[in-house]
Amino acid sequence: MLFPDNIIEKLGFNQIVQGVLNLCKTDDGKLFASRIHFKKDFRKVQGLLNQLSDLIRLKSEGIPPVQSLESIETILKYVSKPGSQLDGEDFVLLGKTFQMAEDWNEFLKQIDSEEYPELVKIIYGVSFSKGNSDVIFSIVDENGEVRDSASPELGRIRREKESQFRASRKITQRIFNELKKSGYVPDASSVSVNNGRTVIPVFSEHKRHVSGYIQGASATGQTVYIEPSELIETSNQIQELEAMERREVVRILTELTSRFHNKYEELLQLPTFIGKIDLIVAKANYSITNGYNIPKLNNSQGFKWVEAYHPILKASHDKEGKVTKSVSVSISSDNRILVISGPNAGGKSVTLKTVGLLQLMIQSGIPVPVDESSIFGVFDDVFIDIGDDQSIENDLSTYSSHLYKMAKVLSRANEKSLILFDEFGSGTEPALGGAIAQSILEELVNSNCMGIITTHYQNIKELSETTQGLFNGAMRFDTDKMEPLYELIIGRPGQSFALEIARKTGLGENIIKRASELAGKEIVELDELLAKTEQQKIELEKRTSSLAVLEKKVNDQKRIYDEKLAKLEKEKKEILRNAAEQASYMISSANKEIEKTIRHIKTSKANKAETQKVRNKLTGVKERIDKTADE
């Protein structure tokens, strides 16, 4: 159950549906999109999401196209009547519809049913005989004209008609040229056709010079249109052939219509099949275009959302160049109702609307803007009380309207219900309003429902600290800048920052001081403590962020140092390797030189002059080796 009746509009779900509908290309798909609705059956929801997931995986590999098609519902009405006849344009639409259905039917038959089980289910119970589109387009062309080849008789008639036209044009042009030379026809005029008869424009004063029949006249009466006598027999033959052509075309189309009258049960499957295909492709495109995900779905209540955001708000912020803050929130059997408090305009209502809208989207088989690690549950009911529903007609004040909704919800709420109440208990005298709100909240806890409420009441915040199943959350606020941060934190209540905001707006300090006295010491001290804690947390986060930046810089410098050290080590090894190779080469050369010297001494019998020459040479070799070693 969805409550109240205008929940779709209040949450903006109708805009989401319209977004999907705008991506549909067929009338049948748009009709299916307009019927998208909240489902509470887990298997149906999971099936829709699995189908969509299958198709998104397949899109990267290529899927058949979806054409822009009108619905064939009107055609079905004609085909259902024996002896009826569709025209050529009807058959073009029917042929394109069959073509798309045949392509998708064949595509779904070929994919692996074990890998894409839910997607394959679309063709369960669907039966299309092959070649229906081929049959249609063998008879009519893309413009809906019956082809010459549709029957031998039609081909013969059209060939004969074309032959007669050629003869008629030849005769007409000859007569026209003769009359033009005689000055009987107006300048820049030409042969034309009037009521199916070929005529020549002739000045009225010269009409007696032309043998034929007057078939019309100009508005001024200065020109008459004469059908030459020589053309009458040819024109009559052409008109007779045209009548034969029309009869043959009617016969062909009637026969073709009859063929599909015998396939009426097959035709009946087309709108549903086309609508389903178009809708699921539109949903896939909607998901991919917007970057939405298909999270895990549990057959239970509760959820664990990571980085969820309101899709409509984000679209608006994107146009304005603003950043949209995401929210991460969990509801479980232990923590069933989250109580959010904090300053006005801090994001409490947006959080409620985000939860409500995304729950409606997922239970309608539409992907959602959350991190893919998120987990969604399935609820039987979604109850909301968001905004002012004051009714002049029903003599209900805002507070009365809230109480009416509370009574309605309390009578239906159970463990499968999701409640989303904004400004819980507000609208009346604070003390009694807070007491009534607490009493209602206790009943909601007893009903085991799940949900989120927002409040400013201190007694509700305190109740959430001590009651099993309730837990507090707060919308963060920067007290230095006096502006909301639009971030939800779990585990502690928030404060309204009423005194701080009042001071920021310029109210006198005497007024603020008096307000503090009237509020009471405990309330003021608690608010101050919460404000101080919040600001300390903000400062801690800033310091943590600064440390993270510093740590990154240190790590970057260390990485650069390590890279340089590794490079130097590599260069050192390369130098040593080259030096060793060079030394080895020098030693080898020296050994060769020594051996050569010894041989020379032996052959020269070691006279003094030759010995001194050899010594000088060896000294040179030694000096080269020493120089290399020093380097």
Side-chain angles (χ1 to χ4, degrees), residues 356-403:
L357 178 56
L358 268 55
Q359 194 64 45
L360 260 60
M361 288 174 66
I362 205 69
Q363 288 192 229
S364 300
I366 301 176
V368 285
V370 297
D371 185 83
E372 59 186 359
S373 64
S374 300
I375 301 172
F376 276 66
V378 175
F379 294 90
D380 285 358
D381 315 298
V382 177
F383 301 127
I384 72 166
D385 183 12
I386 301 173
D388 184 357
D389 282 336
Q390 182 175 0
S391 172
I392 297 175
E393 293 82 359
N394 295 326
D395 194 27
L396 290 176
S397 67
T398 300
Y399 186 63
S400 297
S401 174
H402 287 317
L403 292 182

Side-chain angles (χ1 to χ4, degrees), residues 452-504:
I452 302 174
I453 67 170
T454 70
T455 187
H456 288 289
Y457 286 133
Q458 189 62 35
N459 64 312
I460 298 298
K461 301 178 192 178
E462 292 173 358
L463 181 69
S464 302
E465 289 292 318
T466 58
T467 304
Q468 179 67 33
L470 297 178
F471 63 114
N472 274 308
M475 301 308 299
R476 302 188 62 189
F477 192 85
D478 190 329
T479 54
D480 283 347
K481 297 181 179 179
M482 293 307 295
E483 61 183 28
L485 297 175
Y486 305 106
E487 297 174 6
L488 173 65
I489 55 174
I490 304 298
R492 66 174 179 79
Q495 71 162 139
S496 63
F497 295 96
L499 296 178
E500 289 80 0
I501 293 173
R503 185 176 285 111
K504 185 77 173 180

Side-chain angles (χ1 to χ4, degrees), residues 265-501:
E265 294 301 322
E266 191 172 337
L267 289 175
L268 284 176
Q269 302 176 73
L270 285 173
T272 299
F273 184 70
I274 293 294
K276 285 182 178 180
I277 293 297
D278 191 15
L279 178 57
I280 193 173
V281 172
K283 282 184 179 181
N285 290 332
Y286 185 74
S287 172
I288 294 169
T289 301
N290 292 293
Y292 297 168
N293 287 311
I294 301 175
K296 180 182 178 182
L297 193 70
N298 277 346
N299 189 14
S300 61
Q301 289 67 55
F303 50 79
K304 182 180 180 181
W305 296 1
V306 179
E307 296 183 0
Y309 61 84
H310 196 289
I312 301 172
L313 180 64
K314 186 176 187 303
S316 176
H317 281 178
D318 287 349
K319 291 179 181 178
E320 299 172 5
K322 295 181 180 179
V323 175
T324 303
K325 292 290 186 71
S326 62
V327 61
S328 296
V329 59
S330 298
I331 300 290
S332 66
S333 56
D334 293 329
N335 293 317
R336 304 182 69 83
I337 300 178
L338 171 62
V339 177
I340 302 178
S341 48
N344 289 325
K348 299 190 300 296
S349 297
V350 171
T351 300
L352 283 185
K353 291 180 179 180
T354 301
V355 171
L357 178 56
L358 268 55
Q359 194 64 45
L360 260 60
M361 288 174 66
I362 205 69
Q363 288 192 229
S364 300
I366 301 176
V368 285
V370 297
D371 185 83
E372 59 186 359
S373 64
S374 300
I375 301 172
F376 276 66
V378 175
F379 294 90
D380 285 358
D381 315 298
V382 177
F383 301 127
I384 72 166
D385 183 12
I386 301 173
D388 184 357
D389 282 336
Q390 182 175 0
S391 172
I392 297 175
E393 293 82 359
N394 295 326
D395 194 27
L396 290 176
S397 67
T398 300
Y399 186 63
S400 297
S401 174
H402 287 317
L403 292 182
Y404 169 77
K405 290 179 182 177
M406 292 301 103
K408 191 83 170 179
V409 171
L410 288 173
S411 68
R412 290 293 303 267
N414 57 45
E415 69 278 1
K416 294 185 178 182
S417 301
L418 176 66
I419 61 160
L420 302 168
F421 298 154
D422 196 19
E423 299 295 342
F424 187 59
S426 64
T428 189
E429 193 276 322
L432 290 176
I436 293 173
Q438 180 172 336
S439 178
I440 292 173
L441 183 55
E442 289 171 349
E443 282 298 310
L444 290 172
V445 171
N446 292 334
S447 73
N448 289 322
C449 67
M450 293 183 172
I452 302 174
I453 67 170
T454 70
T455 187
H456 288 289
Y457 286 133
Q458 189 62 35
N459 64 312
I460 298 298
K461 301 178 192 178
E462 292 173 358
L463 181 69
S464 302
E465 289 292 318
T466 58
T467 304
Q468 179 67 33
L470 297 178
F471 63 114
N472 274 308
M475 301 308 299
R476 302 188 62 189
F477 192 85
D478 190 329
T479 54
D480 283 347
K481 297 181 179 179
M482 293 307 295
E483 61 183 28
L485 297 175
Y486 305 106
E487 297 174 6
L488 173 65
I489 55 174
I490 304 298
R492 66 174 179 79
Q495 71 162 139
S496 63
F497 295 96
L499 296 178
E500 289 80 0
I501 293 173

Side-chain angles (χ1 to χ4, degrees), residues 13 27 36 121 134 141 187 194 199-200 214 219 246 318 325 330 342 346-347 351 372 427 436 475 492 594 605 626:
F13 182 65
D27 286 352
I36 291 175
K121 287 181 181 179
D134 291 340
D141 61 21
D187 292 337
N194 190 345
V199 296
I200 296 174
I214 296 175
R246 287 192 294 272
D318 287 349
K325 292 290 186 71
S330 298
T351 300
E372 59 186 359
I436 293 173
M475 301 308 299
R492 66 174 179 79
I594 291 169
K605 297 182 180 179
D626 291 342

